[in-house]
Amino acid sequence: MIDFHLNGQPRHCEASPDTSVLELLRETLGQTGTKEGCASGDCGACTVAIGEAGPDGRVRYHSANACITPAHQLQGRQLVTVEGLARGDRLHPAQAAMVDCHASQCGFCTPGIVMSLFTLHEAQQRSPAPLTPERLEAALGGNLCRCTGYRPIRDAALSMADHAEERPQWLDLAIDAAAPQQEHAADAAFVQPATLAALVEARRRHPEAPIVAGGTDLWLEVTQRLQRFERLVDVTRVAELNAIEATTLDDGREGWWIGGAVTYARLEPLLEEHYPAFAHLLHRLGSAQVRNRGTLGGNIANASPIGDTPPVLLALGSRLWLAGPEEGAGEAERELPLDAFFLDYKKTDLREGEVIRAIFLPRPEPGRHLRVWKLSKRREDDISAVLGAFSWRLEDGVLRDVRLAFGGMAATPTRAAAAEAALEGKAPDLAAFQAARLALQQDFSPMSDVRGSAHYRKLSAANLLERLRLVLMMEDQGQSDTASSPEVMLHAYAH
C-alpha cells in the first residue's frame, strides 16, 4: 500500500511494485491530465511535482518524469499534478502565463510544461533569483514541444511574476512522512528500508530483487521491454546512502564520501564549487527531471560502458565504499578503487548482496586540472557516443599524474594506460601527444553501434587528446581557454 497526498488530499492506494507514478495516476486514480509521451523520461509530457519537507519544515518540490518514477516512492510525499494548481477558476501563475503568452497549441505537452514552470515558480518564491537564460534552459530543458516552438514558453516563464499569486494553501502544508513499509515482511513487494542495516538485511533476504534508486534506467525495462518485477528494494530512504560527508582517507587525501543514493541535483552545488567541468556534464547527462531523481551510485552500479560519470570519477581517482551481508548476521564493509570495480560489460566486483554505500570524491589538489568532453548526437539529454575525462598536473613544464579515462571505447568505462604512459613526465608538446594518440590505438578496440562506428570512436578519442594539447598550448601562452568553456558545443574534428 502507498500512503501519500495527491493535490492536498490523502490517498491510500494498492499497486504492484513495478507501477509507475504515471500508471497510478491515469489507471488507478483517474487523473488523466498527466500525459504519456515517450515513456522513457525524454519528452517531459508526464512531468509532475513531488514534495517533501525540507530541513526548515517547508515542503520543497522537484520536477520528475512520472513515467519512470516508481509509484511506491510517493510514500509519505506530496504529489502535485496539473489538476491541482488552480484555486477554483483562478489559475496558478504558471497556467495563467501560458495562456496569456499563447504558449500552447495541441496541448498534449502543456501539462508537463506547466508543472516544470510550477517548480520553477516555487523555487523563485523560496529563493528569488534572476531568471537567466541558463536557469530557463535548466528548468525547461526536459520538456519537448512540437507545435509552438519555445519562444512563447520562455515568455511565459519570464512573466509568471506578473500574475497574481494564486496558489492552493495546501502547497505549504508540511506533511508527516508516513513510516516506510516493513522491509522485513515476508510478503513485502516493495521493500523500502530506512537504514543501512535494514538494507543489507533486505538484500540478504531477497537477493533476486533488483535495487531501485532514481529509476531513470531500471524503469526503462518496464516501459520499453515490458518486464515485470515481483519485488524491488528501494534505497532512496536509507539514511547512510543519502549523506554527503567530508573525510580524509588513510593515504591523506581529503574529499567527500557521497552516499550512493545522493541525487545529481543534490550533488550539483558541490561540483559547481570544486569541479565546474563535472557540474556542467550533469546538464548534458539529463534534464532537471532526471537530475532530480538519478543518483551517482546508480550510474556506477549500472556499469554501462557509456555511463557519463564513471570516466570522470576514474580520472579523479575515486574510490567506492561497499557494504553487504556478513556470514550469519550483520554487515561487512570494504573499499576498493573505482579502477577495480568494472570487470566486463555490465559486470562489476559487487558481491552477492552488496550495495554501493558511498563514492569518494577527492578534494581538488593544488595545480590539478580536469577537462570533460562529451560527444553525442544531441547536445543535452542524450547518451554518449564517446566521453573523455582528463586529469593532470603540470610541474616544471612536464605532465605529472596523468589520468585519461574514456566511456564508449570499451566494454567498461576505463583508463587509457598506454596513452597515459606516453604523456607521463613529458612536456605537453606535439611530439608527446602524437605518441599518446598512437598509444591510444593499443588501449582500445571499440565496437560499432547506432551511436557511432568503431572508426568514428577511435578518431574522436584521438581528436579529444589533440584538443587537450591545444588547451594546454593556449594556457601556456596565456590565452583564454574558450575551447574548454562549458558553453561551447563539443564536436570531434579531424586533421
Side-chain angles (χ1 to χ4, degrees), residues 198-434:
L199 172 61
V200 170
E201 174 62 14
R203 294 286 289 147
R204 186 187 67 80
R205 292 173 62 99
H206 309 297
E208 81 294 345
I211 288 179
V212 62
T216 57
D217 187 82
L218 178 67
W219 228 253
L220 300 185
E221 298 294 317
V222 178
T223 62
Q224 306 300 304
R225 298 185 180 181
L226 305 182
Q227 185 172 343
R228 311 308 301 181
F229 296 119
E230 295 182 0
R231 179 177 285 110
L232 290 167
V233 176
D234 175 27
V235 300
T236 60
R237 306 294 177 94
V238 178
E240 294 91 335
L241 270 63
N242 280 284
I244 300 177
E245 300 177 337
T247 189
T248 302
L249 299 183
D250 291 341
D251 60 10
R253 286 194 298 165
E254 296 182 350
W256 302 269
W257 281 115
I258 310 298
V262 170
T263 64
Y264 299 126
R266 280 192 59 208
L267 181 59
E268 195 170 343
L270 181 67
L271 296 182
E272 286 178 342
E273 180 179 357
H274 298 284
Y275 291 110
F278 198 173
H280 177 69
L281 175 66
L282 297 186
H283 283 256
R284 297 203 59 197
L285 177 151
S287 64
Q289 293 93 319
V290 169
R291 298 193 301 274
N292 288 332
R293 306 293 300 170
T295 65
L296 189 64
N299 201 229
I300 296 169
N302 191 37
S304 169
I306 48 177
D308 283 348
T309 65
V312 187
L313 296 169
L314 286 169
L316 294 176
S318 293
R319 297 182 63 84
L320 297 182
W321 183 0
L322 308 178
E326 283 186 328
E327 292 186 10
E331 68 259 16
E333 299 182 354
R334 65 186 177 111
E335 288 184 33
L336 80 164
L338 186 60
D339 303 69
F341 182 70
F342 302 108
L343 304 180
D344 203 342
Y345 178 74
K346 291 283 188 173
K347 183 178 180 181
T348 71
D349 193 48
L350 276 176
R351 299 169 184 169
E352 184 172 332
E354 276 191 327
V355 296
I356 297 176
R357 171 171 177 163
I359 303 97
F360 176 71
L361 178 70
R363 184 181 292 275
E365 305 171 21
R368 175 163 287 281
H369 302 269
L370 174 69
R371 292 291 185 273
V372 182
W373 293 315
K374 172 178 176 173
L375 305 178
S376 55
K377 292 185 177 181
R378 294 197 308 258
R379 175 177 172 81
E380 294 177 340
D381 202 13
D382 196 10
I383 297 173
S384 297
V386 176
L387 188 144
F390 312 128
S391 179
W392 73 94
R393 292 182 293 111
L394 196 60
E395 292 183 357
D396 299 323
V398 299
L399 295 164
R400 297 292 184 189
D401 195 16
V402 178
R403 301 177 72 93
L404 312 174
F406 287 89
M409 295 293 291
T412 67
T414 188
R415 290 169 58 186
E420 289 177 353
L423 293 176
E424 186 68 35
K426 304 294 194 305
D429 54 24
L430 182 60
F433 274 87
Q434 284 178 335

Side-chain angles (χ1 to χ4, degrees), residues 27-72:
E27 303 298 330
T28 302
L29 299 173
Q31 302 291 298
T32 56
T34 306
K35 309 301 183 186
E36 178 177 284
C38 64
S40 60
D42 285 335
C43 74
C46 68
T47 300
V48 295
I50 299 175
E52 56 186 292
D56 57 0
R58 295 180 59 188
V59 177
R60 295 173 181 256
Y61 293 95
H62 68 262
S63 58
N65 292 308
C67 67
I68 55 172
T69 298
H72 284 266

